[in-house]
């Protein structure tokens, strides 16, 4: 591990923040432009500012990355992305941070040579996902914040590409990229950079339907900020090469303060070694005083979850600290030559790069000659340039005269030439404009679309198993095992559901048993995470995969990307409205028409944090200020297999308070050109599930009258911003 291989990456929400980050010692800065960034409410950069920032970073020998980490709608991808990125690509932008696989594939084609960083919004949780993204052309993966040091180490061992991980700043309650709460409840999508942070609000809680505890100010989803200054050696040993500070929404003073402390200790670590690494109490306090929510924690690097990581409040605290913003200056060497009859010549060098400027003509002095001291005073005035003198040699005749404005012009020309030389290696030629085709037009109405059903428990599956009108079922392992024992006499398509989040390897028994079931007639898998897909692809099973709506395909290029991976079909994203779905190619897409939508998937456990852990898959109810109740369901055994219980990291799913349903929208749904429909059962009792299925079957397949039942339409009408 060499110091030059490790990058301290700082955030900037404005140009002032960018300068503050560099002045405090950042090796690279990540920023958002005027569009497509996951912090839409930051000040962000207009085009002129961003172009200037790219050049300034390169003058200093630093890097600048641009966030393009939202999900893209079709028109944004086909009509806006190329023109938006082109000037930054030509100027020498070092990398883009991307979530959307359609945008990832499009940028790879449109801008060859531009590094692609897989955003933490991709929810990359293991080595299989890491290797998969390497194959697709990623230069770097930003890990999910929930990973342990051991998990990151395994990723590092699996792939040579760079690993970027968060070391300081806010923690999201949900796995990044897997949160729909702000979107579904208020229309402000975290996948579009507009999160309203409902996780920071107070909720009353109840355990398994028992009375609420009455603590109306409790924020059970609000985490402390992460601060890892004490475990930097361990993070580097795990294979992290880019140390990321969160905070594009925060002020330049915060960025400068945090960056300066991490710069100090990174330098100290490489100077003295890990054995002598100690963090002073005053610096820990300084970081807390800059900003904290009920203290700080080390994140998930050393623990799976727990109440010690929770703030349980949204009170934002700062101490009495003053941060001075420093402006970075790059050291240069110069040689000024002043001899009569020749122009004034200034040769400059910086990091082995040379440039020069020349102006006017040096005269013999008629009266009082210029002194070297006077010339030096004038030449050392570098003003607002990015440079400072490390050394200036002056070679001059003793009896000369030259106007000060000529010296100024010489200096200006040389400095401009040096900036050009320093930035020239990063400039790129025009990129080829790749045509991105949009989806099918003039969709024909399709009646009697096949209906698939997903369910989580055995009672519900048994109740639905022999119902007419079901084309196929999506079931977890334990449920599939019991159902298959009854045979496949109805010739149902049967799909084995993977966990919503995959941590660690595919269980060997899961893969072996699934292989047997496939030979017996099981159709394939319902895949809900990048890691699970990558693992199944490695096992040669990509063509047996159906992608759930958490595997985002907002645009046709994303759908095409997954078709190139040979998947069976995808699921229509739940954040698109009817018009946006209509402009999408849905020929290989299944659409959810009923279900309690998962608002958050979290490594934290509300049950454990408030009531203790009993390893039972119970649920805690969260009641908001509008009296709506959201069940936080414990998934203690994500694989639903006996031999993996309590050995694989668990998670919570917070479901919406009311189910999503398109019962009255049959006509519109049938005009979308879909492959199939899905009804999803999660927290319902078996008898409820049967009744709901029969109602939807009656409307969609039998032409029955609409029952008197109301559902939320989600984004089908309004869409996400």
């Amino acid at each position: 591990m060499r110091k030059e291989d490790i990058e301290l990456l700082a955030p900037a929400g404005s140009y002032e923040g960018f300068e503050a980050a560099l002045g405090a010692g950042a090796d690279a800065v990540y920023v958002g432009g005027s569009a497509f960034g996951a912090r839409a409410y930051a000040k962000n950069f207009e085009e002129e500012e961003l172009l200037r920032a790219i050049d300034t970073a390169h003058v200093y020998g630093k890097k600048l990355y641009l966030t393009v980490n939202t999900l893209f709608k079709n028109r944004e991808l086909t009509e806006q992305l190329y023109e938006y990125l082109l000037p930054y690509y030509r100027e020498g932008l070092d990398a883009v941070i991307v979530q959307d696989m359609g945008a990832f594939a499009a940028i790879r084609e449109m801008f060859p040579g531009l590094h692609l960083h897989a955003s933490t919004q991709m929810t990359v949780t293991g080595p299989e996902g890491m290797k998969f993204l390497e194959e697709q052309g990623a230069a770097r993966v930003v890990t999910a914040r929930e990973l342990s040091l051991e998990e990151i180490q395994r990723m590092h061992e699996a792939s040579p590409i760079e690993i970027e991980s968060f070391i300081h700043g806010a923690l999201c309650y949900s796995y990044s990229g897997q949160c729909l709460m702000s979107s579904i409840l208020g229309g402000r999508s975290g996948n579009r950079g507009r999160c309203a942070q409902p996780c920071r609000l107070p909720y009353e809680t109840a355990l398994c339907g028992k009375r609420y505890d009455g603590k109306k100010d409790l924020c059970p989803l609000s985490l402390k900020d992460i601060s890892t200054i004490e475990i930097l050696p361990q993070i580097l040993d795990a294979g992290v090469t880019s140390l990321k500070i969160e905070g594009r929404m925060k002020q330049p003073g915060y960025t400068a303060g945090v960056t300066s402390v991490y710069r100090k200790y990174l330098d100290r670590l490489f100077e003295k070694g890990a054995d002598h690494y100690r963090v002073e109490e005053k610096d820990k306090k300084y970081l807390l005083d800059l900003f904290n929510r009920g203290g700080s924690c080390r994140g998930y690097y050393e623990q799976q979850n727990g109440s010690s990581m929770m703030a349980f409040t949204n009170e934002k605290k700062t101490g009495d600290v003053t941060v001075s913003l420093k402006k970075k200056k790059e050291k240069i060497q110069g040689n000024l030559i002043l001899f009569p009859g020749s122009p004034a010549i200034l040769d400059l060098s910086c990091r082995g790069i040379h440039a020069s400027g020349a102006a006017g003509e040096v005269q013999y002095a008629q009266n009082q000659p210029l002194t070297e001291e006077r010339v030096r005073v004038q030449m050392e005035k570098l003003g607002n340039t990015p440079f400072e003198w490390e050394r200036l040699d002056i070679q001059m005749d003793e009896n000369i005269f030259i106007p000060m404005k000529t010296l100024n012009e010489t200096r200006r020309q040389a400095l401009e030439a040096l900036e050009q030389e320093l930035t020239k290696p990063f400039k790129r030629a025009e990129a080829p404009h790749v045509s991105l085709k949009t989806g099918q037009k003039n969709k024909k109405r399709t009646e009697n679309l096949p209906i698939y059903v997903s369910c989580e428990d055995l009672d519900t599956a048994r109740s639905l198993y022999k119902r007419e009108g079901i084309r196929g079922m999506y079931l977890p392992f334990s449920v599939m095992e019991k159902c298959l024992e009854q045979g496949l006499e109805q010739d149902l398509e049967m799909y084995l559901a993977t966990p919503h989040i995959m941590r660690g390897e595919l269980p060997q028994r899961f893969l072996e048993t699934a292989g047997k079931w496939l030979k017996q007639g099981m159709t394939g898998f319902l895949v809900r995470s990048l890691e699970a897909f990558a693992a199944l692809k490695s096992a040669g099973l990509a063509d047996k995969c159906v992608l759930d709506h958490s595997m985002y395909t907002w645009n046709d290029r994303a759908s095409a990307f997954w078709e190139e991976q040979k998947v069976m079909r995808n699921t229509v994203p739940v954040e698109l409205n009817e018009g946006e779905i209509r402009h999408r190619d849905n020929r290989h897409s299944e659409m959810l028409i009923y279900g309690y939508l998962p608002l958050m998937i979290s490594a934290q456990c509300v049950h454990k944090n408030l009531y203790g852990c009993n390893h039972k898959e119970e649920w805690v109810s969260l009641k908001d200020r509008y009296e709506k109740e959201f069940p936080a369901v414990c998934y203690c055994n994500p694989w639903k297999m006996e031999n993996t219980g309590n050995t694989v990291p668990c998670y919570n799913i917070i479901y919406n308070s009311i189910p999503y349903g398109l019962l009255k929208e049959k006509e519109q749904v049938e005009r979308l050109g879909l492959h199939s429909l899905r009804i999803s059962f999660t927290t319902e009792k078996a008898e409820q599930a049967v009744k709901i299925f029969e109602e939807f079957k009656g409307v969609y397949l039998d032409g029955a009258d609409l029952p008197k039942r109301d559902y939320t339409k989600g984004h089908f009408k309004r869409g996400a911003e």
Side-chain angles (χ1 to χ4, degrees):
M1 180 176 60
R2 303 181 306 165
K3 181 178 179 180
E4 53 266 32
D5 296 330
I6 303 302
E7 173 185 276
L8 180 58
L9 177 59
S14 65
Y15 197 87
E16 185 184 9
F18 164 74
E19 291 186 316
L22 292 181
D27 298 305
V29 181
Y30 65 103
V31 306
S34 59
F36 311 131
R39 289 292 184 271
Y41 299 118
K43 185 178 178 182
N44 291 320
F45 287 63
E46 294 301 326
E47 182 175 310
E48 184 179 341
E49 282 185 318
L50 188 46
L51 292 172
R52 179 157 55 104
I54 293 169
D55 284 343
T56 300
H58 293 155
V59 166
Y60 294 139
K62 308 302 180 184
K63 294 181 179 180
L64 189 131
Y65 309 139
L66 179 64
T67 59
V68 191
N69 56 343
T70 59
L71 297 178
F72 283 74
K73 299 175 184 179
N74 260 332
R75 288 178 178 172
E76 294 169 338
L77 195 66
T78 58
E79 299 175 14
Q80 299 175 35
L81 182 60
Y82 177 81
E83 297 297 333
Y84 174 70
L85 284 181
L86 181 59
Y88 310 136
Y89 174 81
R90 289 189 301 210
E91 200 71 12
L93 179 67
D94 293 286
V96 286
I97 306 169
V98 183
Q99 173 189 13
D100 189 300
M101 287 308 306
F104 186 100
I107 293 170
R108 184 186 58 195
E109 295 173 20
M110 293 188 295
F111 301 105
L114 180 59
H115 282 191
L116 288 156
H117 294 178
S119 171
T120 191
Q121 293 283 121
M122 278 196 186
T123 327
V124 185
T125 57
E128 293 294 343
M130 180 100 167
K131 289 188 290 185
F132 175 76
L133 288 168
E134 177 194 352
E135 292 169 3
Q136 308 313 312
R140 175 183 296 186
V141 161
V142 187
T143 58
R145 290 173 172 92
E146 292 76 8
L147 300 188
S148 68
L149 292 172
E150 291 75 14
E151 287 173 302
I152 293 174
Q153 176 71 42
R154 289 196 289 273
M155 293 171 70
H156 173 60
E157 292 169 353
S159 171
I161 64 175
E162 298 171 348
I163 294 178
E164 176 180 310
S165 297
F166 286 91
I167 59 167
H168 199 95
L171 287 171
C172 292
Y173 188 80
S174 174
Y175 281 90
S176 294
Q178 299 302 314
C179 181
L180 299 175
M181 196 167 194
S182 174
S183 177
I184 297 300
L185 300 186
R188 289 171 55 178
S189 172
N191 283 317
R192 300 281 288 173
R194 293 172 169 83
C195 180
Q197 297 192 322
C199 55
R200 301 295 183 185
L201 298 176
Y203 297 86
E204 297 179 48
T205 65
L207 177 58
C208 296
K210 296 178 183 178
R211 68 179 180 84
Y212 290 94
D213 62 15
K215 294 181 180 178
K216 293 185 180 298
D217 60 344
L218 179 73
C219 300
L221 311 181
S222 185
L223 282 150
K224 296 175 182 176
D225 282 10
I226 183 177
S227 178
T228 66
I229 193 71
E230 294 181 278
I231 58 170
L232 281 185
Q234 295 94 310
I235 292 174
L236 295 182
D237 285 345
V240 177
T241 54
S242 180
L243 304 168
K244 186 171 194 171
I245 298 167
E246 184 276 339
R248 282 199 289 130
M249 294 288 287
K250 294 189 174 73
Q251 296 299 311
Y254 172 87
T255 299
V258 173
T259 303
S260 65
V261 174
Y262 279 88
R263 179 78 274 158
K264 171 183 174 180
Y265 283 96
L266 265 180
D267 292 344
R268 184 173 294 183
L269 173 60
F270 282 100
E271 180 184 342
K272 297 185 176 180
D275 292 340
H276 302 281
Y277 185 81
R278 301 289 184 276
V279 180
E280 299 171 39
E281 289 298 323
K282 67 179 180 67
D283 289 321
K284 294 186 216 175
K285 183 178 184 303
Y286 178 75
L287 289 173
L288 278 174
D289 286 343
L290 282 168
F291 183 89
N292 77 88
R293 284 186 180 92
S296 65
C297 66
R298 294 180 181 177
Y300 295 92
Y301 290 119
E302 299 176 318
Q303 66 182 97
Q304 157 64 12
N305 54 31
S307 59
S308 64
M309 298 175 65
M310 304 302 300
F312 295 126
T313 178
N314 192 26
E315 184 181 359
K316 302 171 184 178
K317 300 178 181 179
T318 57
D320 186 17
V321 292
T322 301
V323 181
S324 58
L325 303 184
K326 300 177 182 177
K327 195 166 183 180
K328 183 172 175 58
K329 296 288 186 179
E330 193 70 8
K331 294 186 181 299
I332 58 174
Q333 301 85 40
N335 185 33
L336 178 65
I337 303 171
L338 300 173
F339 287 99
S342 297
I345 301 171
L346 177 61
D347 292 321
L348 298 176
S349 64
C350 177
R351 303 197 306 271
I353 293 176
H354 301 272
S356 63
E361 182 178 336
V362 181
Q363 307 289 325
Y364 281 105
Q366 298 297 317
N367 297 306
Q368 187 174 359
L370 278 176
T371 64
E372 181 180 328
E373 180 181 2
R374 178 69 184 90
V375 171
R376 184 175 297 278
V377 167
Q378 190 66 27
M379 295 303 292
E380 287 182 347
K381 295 177 180 178
L382 296 180
N384 199 35
T385 71
F387 303 109
E388 65 181 7
W389 291 110
E390 182 177 50
R391 189 189 73 251
L392 174 61
D393 296 328
I394 299 176
Q395 302 176 47
M396 58 182 289
D397 192 279
E398 294 181 353
N399 188 33
I400 64 165
F401 170 78
I402 189 169
M404 293 299 105
K405 67 177 183 179
T406 304
L407 287 179
N408 293 342
E409 177 64 17
T410 305
R411 182 185 60 224
R412 184 189 65 77
Q413 286 188 17
L415 291 173
E416 287 182 356
L418 182 59
E419 284 196 47
Q420 290 175 2
E421 289 299 313
L422 288 168
T423 59
K424 186 167 66 174
F426 300 93
K427 308 289 185 183
R428 300 185 181 97
E430 195 86 8
H433 196 304
V434 178
S435 175
L436 301 173
K437 296 180 181 179
T438 56
Q440 65 190 56
K441 304 298 181 184
N442 302 318
K443 295 181 173 68
K444 296 180 180 179
R445 180 174 175 179
T446 308
E447 297 182 352
N448 298 322
L449 286 165
I451 296 177
Y452 293 79
V453 172
S454 68
C455 51
E456 300 290 328
D457 67 272
L458 184 58
D459 287 345
T460 304
R462 280 175 170 163
S463 298
L464 293 168
Y465 191 56
K466 295 184 178 181
R467 294 272 164 181
E468 290 186 7
I470 296 178
R471 173 70 63 86
M473 299 186 79
Y474 302 109
L475 305 171
F477 188 94
S478 60
V479 180
M480 179 70 79
E481 192 169 36
K482 297 295 183 183
C483 286
L484 290 183
E485 289 174 0
Q486 300 179 16
L488 295 170
E489 62 274 8
Q490 278 191 272
D491 294 325
L492 287 179
E493 295 178 24
M494 303 293 277
Y495 298 86
L496 182 56
T498 63
H500 289 265
I501 296 293
M502 177 176 161
R503 303 271 292 273
E505 297 178 352
L506 271 176
Q508 189 60 33
R509 180 168 171 255
F510 180 92
L511 205 53
E512 290 175 354
T513 308
K516 295 177 183 176
W517 289 345
L518 286 169
K519 291 178 181 178
Q520 293 172 14
M522 188 180 82
T523 312
F525 304 86
L526 177 64
V527 178
R528 294 158 164 161
S529 70
L530 179 68
E531 185 70 10
F533 172 79
L536 290 170
K537 181 176 186 289
S538 293
L541 297 170
D543 61 346
K544 303 291 185 184
C545 292
V546 175
L547 305 184
D548 207 349
H549 59 77
S550 53
M551 300 284 285
Y552 299 118
T553 52
W554 277 42
N555 54 74
D556 291 342
R557 188 63 189 88
S559 297
F561 171 86
W562 290 112
E563 287 176 27
E564 291 161 11
Q565 302 301 318
K566 309 299 183 186
V567 302
M568 298 177 74
R569 58 185 176 273
N570 60 60
T571 304
V572 175
V574 297
E575 290 187 274
L576 297 180
N577 64 31
E578 179 190 355
E580 291 160 348
I581 299 171
R582 200 164 53 243
H583 284 91
R584 181 182 178 276
D585 186 347
N586 302 313
R587 289 173 294 175
H588 305 288
S589 297
E590 189 162 293
M591 185 167 179
L592 187 70
I593 57 171
Y594 170 84
Y596 283 91
L597 296 179
L599 301 183
M600 284 189 180
I601 303 173
S602 178
Q604 287 296 327
C605 179
V606 180
H607 192 301
K608 176 181 177 179
N609 290 341
L610 298 182
Y611 302 101
C613 177
N614 60 10
H615 298 293
K616 294 181 180 179
E617 299 206 333
E618 298 176 336
W619 53 272
V620 173
S621 178
L622 303 171
K623 188 176 183 181
D624 72 5
R625 54 190 169 169
Y626 303 110
E627 301 295 311
K628 293 180 179 178
E629 295 187 33
F630 306 89
V633 182
C634 301
Y635 286 80
C636 304
N637 179 5
W639 288 100
K640 305 300 180 187
M641 299 172 62
E642 293 178 3
N643 63 333
T644 60
N646 303 331
T647 64
V648 176
C650 59
Y651 54 78
N652 272 190
I653 297 182
I654 300 175
Y655 289 101
N656 200 6
S657 59
I658 50 178
Y660 168 83
L662 301 180
L663 200 55
K664 300 176 182 178
E665 288 71 29
K666 175 192 174 186
E667 298 288 328
Q668 297 99 300
V669 169
E670 290 181 339
R671 292 192 182 97
L672 295 175
L674 296 160
H675 171 277
S676 52
L677 307 174
R678 186 188 311 165
I679 297 172
S680 173
F681 297 113
T682 50
T683 60
E684 299 88 347
K685 299 294 184 183
E687 59 271 19
Q688 290 178 296
V690 170
K691 184 176 181 180
I692 291 166
F693 169 74
E694 290 296 340
E695 288 179 355
F696 275 86
K697 170 182 173 289
V699 171
Y700 274 86
L701 297 185
D702 302 334
D705 293 334
L706 286 169
K708 293 182 179 180
R709 191 189 291 266
D710 290 324
Y711 297 105
T712 174
K713 305 301 183 291
H715 283 301
F716 191 73
K717 295 298 182 185
R718 68 183 180 190
E721 286 185 42

